[in-house]
Amino acid sequence: MSSVAHAIPRRGALADSVWARSRVRDAVLVLGAAGLTALAAQISVPVPGSPVPVTLQTFAVLVTAAALGATRGALGQLLYLAIGAAGLPVFSGATGGLSTVLGATGGYLLGFVVAGYLVGALAQRGADRRVAGTLLAYLAGSAAIYALGVPVLAAVTHQSLAWAVLHGLVPFLVGDVLKAVAASAALPAAWRAMGRRR
């Protein structure tokens, strides 16, 4: 095994290999995760017939979770939800307010918190060190988002679950695969770069 491989820790989040932990630094990272998600939400493309747009939010959610770990990944998304619910225009289309959190896309937003924790936990156990592990972690996080998002979409729009799957999941699968491939290349590469620095 190479010296680079030995230099990469088996457990822990990427952020903890870059900076020493402190409460101030953790707070900054959580704020950064919320901010990146808010920025990614503004890259939004409407989907005909669906109230759910294509955005880069899920990429931001899952990559920051992998980099920060379970607790900070989830807290970043909780902060994002809180500032959006308070009325700041951080949701897609520069919208905000509690009505969005309780609306058709609210389940996806709540799913961000679950996905943030899940992907962060998997990353802390080493899933993001390899391409296959990162891909599986990303797909697990995406599944968590849809598991909450699709049923809430059906309930709020008073449509069937089949309609919600057709309009709230199927149009996003290709983009999700592309984002998963991008993440599966970026995160292991970041770990390798960290190994070379050590």
Side-chain angles (χ1 to χ4, degrees), residues 2-170:
S2 70
S3 60
V4 170
H6 279 299
I8 298 174
R10 292 180 180 272
R11 289 180 176 267
L14 179 61
D16 296 324
S17 294
V18 179
W19 301 287
R21 291 203 71 165
S22 74
R23 289 182 180 179
V24 171
R25 191 214 62 165
D26 285 348
V28 169
L29 291 175
V30 167
L31 182 61
L36 185 61
T37 305
L39 287 175
Q42 306 318 311
I43 303 170
S44 176
V45 178
V47 175
S50 172
V52 185
V54 172
T55 73
L56 287 182
Q57 279 175 297
T58 53
F59 186 77
V61 170
L62 301 176
V63 169
T64 57
L68 302 185
T71 301
R72 289 168 299 192
L75 286 175
Q77 297 313 313
L78 277 173
L79 178 60
Y80 172 66
L81 283 182
I83 60 179
L88 274 70
V90 295
F91 299 139
S92 62
T95 60
L98 191 58
S99 60
T100 301
V101 177
L102 299 176
T105 59
Y108 299 92
L109 296 172
L110 294 173
F112 291 171
V113 179
V114 177
Y117 188 88
L118 174 61
V119 173
L122 292 171
Q124 284 177 255
R125 289 164 174 75
D128 63 336
R129 274 66 159 180
R130 299 277 187 267
V131 170
T134 304
L135 185 62
L136 289 174
Y138 194 102
L139 293 176
S142 296
I145 293 170
Y146 288 121
L148 286 173
V150 171
V152 170
L153 175 64
V156 171
T157 58
H158 306 290
Q159 300 285 348
S160 68
L161 190 59
W163 179 93
V165 168
L166 184 62
H167 292 86
L169 190 158
V170 173

